[in-house]
Amino acid sequence: MASENNGKHQVVVVGSGFGGLFSTKSLKRSDVEVTMVAKTTHHLFQPLLYQVATGILSQGEIAPPTREVLAGQKNAQVLLGTVTDVDLEARTVRHHVLGRETVTHYDTLIVAAGASQSYFGNDHFAEFAPGMKSIDDALELRGRIFGAFEMAENAAARGEPTDHLMTFVVVGAGPTGVEMAGQIAEMAHKTLRKDFRSIDTRKARIILLDAAPQVLPPFGAKLGAKAKRELEKIGVEVQLGAMVVAMDERGLEVKDKDGTTRRIDSVAKVWAAGVQANPLSKTLSEQSGAPLDRAGRISVNPDLTLPGYPEVFVLGDMISLDNLPGVAQVAIQGAKYAAKEIDNRLKNKAPQPPFKYFDKGSMAIISKFRAVASVGKLKLNGSLAWLMWLAVHLIYLTGFKNRISALLSWAITFIGNDRSERTVTEQQIFARLALEKIEGTTRLVSAPGEFDAAMEAKRAELEEKAAEETRLTDQGKRGVHVDA
């Protein structure tokens, strides 16, 4: 068990996303000790994942190391691991990494574990259409997208059909899907148009599917219609009222609103439709009795605490409260609110009023110089919305060097139509599937006892080899012919 007490109030933060990082940083001047437990070693700026997938940015530019970000915060430590259980009565958090377990005590708990991709009960679709929730997802998609063009070039050189390789399908017409489809179209029509000899990348089909009747529903009907027109201008086929009912390696089946079913042959597919809360929501619900909604989000009090457990705050995509959207600003503002409430309690100050979300607006980029933005009553599209998008995302990127690096990468892409991050490997494409087949990384790692025994055997082997090498040198037998 991790150290329980050094005389200071112990705050455990689960997750290194916007909620986890901002709550930890907001407690910098509080008289507490903060332990962040996260399943990755980085803080991911998720809104820009699609730019990693399409070769604009490197993963390092949107995912700085959490330890580096918090290096100057003396009252914070970071532990790597996936939280598998929370005991609300014992006030402990249990996490695992490569089969090793750690239990950490808390006085106050902040749960900001985020959400994962939802396939609406068809989890097997994930094998054929990765989501957009992690660096692994983005790198796998980069490999699949660029790899599809490479395989098409080979197929065309052999005189074989390439339609299934030159058709890219994005499922989900929310901000992520719109941005992803737009960037694939721009890449095919501009970035790659001179790079191949047997195929014309400008003939690639980019299809954006959604069961909903419009693009970008949260932006309203007017902006949604403008976004659809802009997508179609750059060559994206927008197919609405189309629900994916089946999927395999070489394509998918779609059921239209009139009940007819059709097939689209496509190797490279992206899933950007729907999210579900982290399984920890269910763990908290079972112990506290707080209900879950259809997306697995847990109901919390107006002060973001778990009903019956005022020492537990739940943030971001995990909560069901006042119809809050699953966006970064909800997590950031909730994190600052929770940190201030903790500080107030320690100083015996009155509690804050109920949490109130300030909507700073929504933005989605479609392609170069094309974007839509909804900020209060202000509805924008075109170049001005695109410039606003650039400025806002640059501000919220973590770290000065990441901002400068991203700005340079954007200049390369948006001015020169090039992309600096086009390196892909087979490992990026197939590593996830390989790990799933061997039931995760723990199968690749020895248990502590097995490791110790193996090391002792290895030590004996190395000692014997070293002794033989010394003997050969001392006896002058190097390079001397030995009769068989």
Side-chain angles (χ1 to χ4, degrees):
M1 180 177 288
S3 60
E4 291 193 10
N5 208 323
N6 63 355
K8 289 192 175 183
H9 190 90
Q10 302 295 308
V11 179
V12 172
V13 176
V14 178
S16 61
F18 289 106
L21 182 66
F22 276 80
S23 57
T24 300
K25 292 176 69 175
S26 297
L27 289 167
K28 182 175 183 178
R29 292 179 176 83
S30 298
D31 190 24
V32 298
E33 291 288 344
V34 186
T35 301
M36 176 190 285
V37 184
K39 65 179 180 180
T40 66
T41 60
H42 55 263
H43 163 66
L44 176 61
F45 192 86
Q46 204 171 85
L48 290 177
L49 259 182
Y50 77 94
Q51 294 201 0
V52 174
T54 54
I56 298 174
L57 298 177
S58 73
Q59 58 268 34
E61 288 167 328
I62 69 164
T66 313
R67 293 186 184 280
E68 180 181 295
V69 175
L70 297 174
Q73 186 168 335
K74 301 302 182 183
N75 70 339
Q77 68 165 329
V78 180
L79 296 178
L80 175 66
T82 300
V83 174
T84 54
D85 188 41
V86 175
D87 190 326
L88 296 177
E89 298 303 325
R91 296 192 179 187
T92 57
V93 170
R94 189 181 304 272
H95 76 267
H96 292 79
V97 57
L98 297 178
R100 277 71 168 174
E101 180 182 273
T102 304
V103 179
T104 308
H105 169 81
Y106 66 83
D107 296 309
T108 297
L109 175 65
I110 298 175
V111 186
S116 59
Q117 203 73 59
S118 172
Y119 289 85
F120 309 115
N122 296 295
D123 290 350
H124 57 286
F125 288 179
E127 179 179 350
F128 312 112
M132 285 288 289
K133 289 295 179 183
S134 69
I135 290 294
D136 287 333
D137 290 337
L139 292 178
E140 181 177 354
L141 282 169
R142 184 197 291 175
R144 287 178 180 240
I145 293 166
F146 283 102
F149 285 112
E150 295 294 341
M151 295 304 293
E153 176 80 351
N154 276 287
R158 296 191 300 267
E160 298 174 359
T162 61
D163 287 351
H164 62 299
L165 293 164
M166 295 279 284
T167 299
F168 302 84
V169 177
V170 180
V171 183
T176 299
V178 165
E179 291 172 333
M180 191 71 180
Q183 285 306 313
I184 296 174
E186 197 160 84
M187 182 170 64
H189 299 156
K190 295 180 180 179
T191 305
L192 303 178
R193 61 189 177 89
K194 296 181 180 179
D195 291 9
F196 294 89
R197 300 294 176 264
S198 299
I199 60 171
D200 183 353
T201 62
R202 292 171 295 184
K203 294 181 180 179
R205 289 183 69 197
I206 296 90
I207 301 172
L208 179 63
L209 293 175
D210 202 303
Q214 79 158 74
V215 171
L216 298 175
F219 287 66
K222 187 176 180 180
L223 275 185
K226 286 183 177 179
K228 180 175 181 292
R229 289 195 297 270
E230 292 294 338
L231 285 165
E232 290 170 340
K233 282 181 183 178
I234 62 172
V236 177
E237 300 176 32
V238 182
Q239 301 181 12
L240 302 174
M243 180 180 292
V244 178
V245 294
M247 190 178 293
D248 57 41
E249 183 180 351
R250 294 175 68 89
L252 64 163
E253 290 184 12
V254 176
K255 186 175 184 180
D256 290 312
K257 198 171 182 180
D258 61 6
T260 60
T261 301
R262 56 192 169 88
R263 180 175 175 82
I264 301 173
D265 290 326
S266 169
V267 169
K269 302 173 284 293
V270 183
W271 191 272
V275 295
Q276 59 188 8
N278 188 282
L280 282 179
S281 293
K282 184 178 180 182
T283 300
L284 298 176
S285 174
E286 290 171 347
Q287 295 183 55
S288 68
L292 301 176
D293 67 9
R294 293 176 62 183
R297 296 174 298 188
I298 192 166
S299 296
V300 294
N301 294 324
D303 64 354
L304 305 182
T305 59
L306 191 64
Y309 296 88
E311 73 280 3
V312 179
F313 293 85
V314 190
L315 309 178
D317 293 342
M318 295 182 66
I319 66 172
S320 175
L321 177 69
D322 299 336
N323 297 311
L324 290 171
V327 296
Q329 274 300 319
V330 171
I332 292 170
Q333 293 176 33
K336 294 178 179 179
Y337 177 94
K340 184 170 177 56
E341 191 65 21
I342 294 168
D343 199 54
N344 283 352
R345 291 177 184 179
L346 293 175
K347 295 176 180 177
N348 295 315
K349 292 184 177 181
Q352 301 173 89
F355 173 71
K356 187 174 182 180
Y357 170 59
F358 175 66
D359 188 355
K360 295 187 177 181
S362 302
M363 300 178 183
I365 192 171
I366 297 168
S367 64
K368 183 166 63 175
F369 307 131
R370 289 183 170 99
V372 291
S374 175
V375 185
K377 295 182 179 181
L378 186 64
K379 310 294 181 183
L380 298 172
N381 70 295
S383 298
L384 182 58
W386 183 78
L387 290 171
M388 286 179 61
W389 181 95
L390 286 179
V392 168
H393 284 71
L394 200 62
I395 289 169
Y396 280 101
L397 268 175
T398 301
F400 176 76
K401 68 178 182 181
N402 284 26
R403 296 188 188 108
I404 296 299
S405 182
L407 192 60
L408 290 173
S409 295
W410 285 342
I412 290 170
T413 300
F414 298 135
I415 295 175
N417 290 324
D418 199 1
R419 291 165 196 249
S420 56
E421 298 295 330
R422 288 169 51 180
T423 302
V424 298
T425 67
E426 290 183 7
Q427 182 171 309
Q428 290 174 350
I429 304 172
F430 299 111
R432 175 179 62 89
L433 298 176
L435 284 174
E436 286 176 358
K437 288 183 177 179
I438 61 172
E439 300 176 5
T441 53
T442 52
R443 288 285 298 274
L444 301 174
V445 181
S446 303
E450 295 173 352
F451 176 79
D452 294 340
M455 285 299 97
E456 287 305 314
K458 188 67 176 177
R459 181 198 297 274
E461 178 186 334
L462 291 173
E463 288 176 348
E464 181 180 345
K465 184 177 180 181
E468 177 63 10
E469 292 290 329
T470 301
R471 184 188 69 81
L472 290 171
T473 299
D474 290 347
Q475 295 180 7
K477 292 187 177 182
R478 297 286 187 185
V480 178
H481 177 72
V482 178
D483 292 329

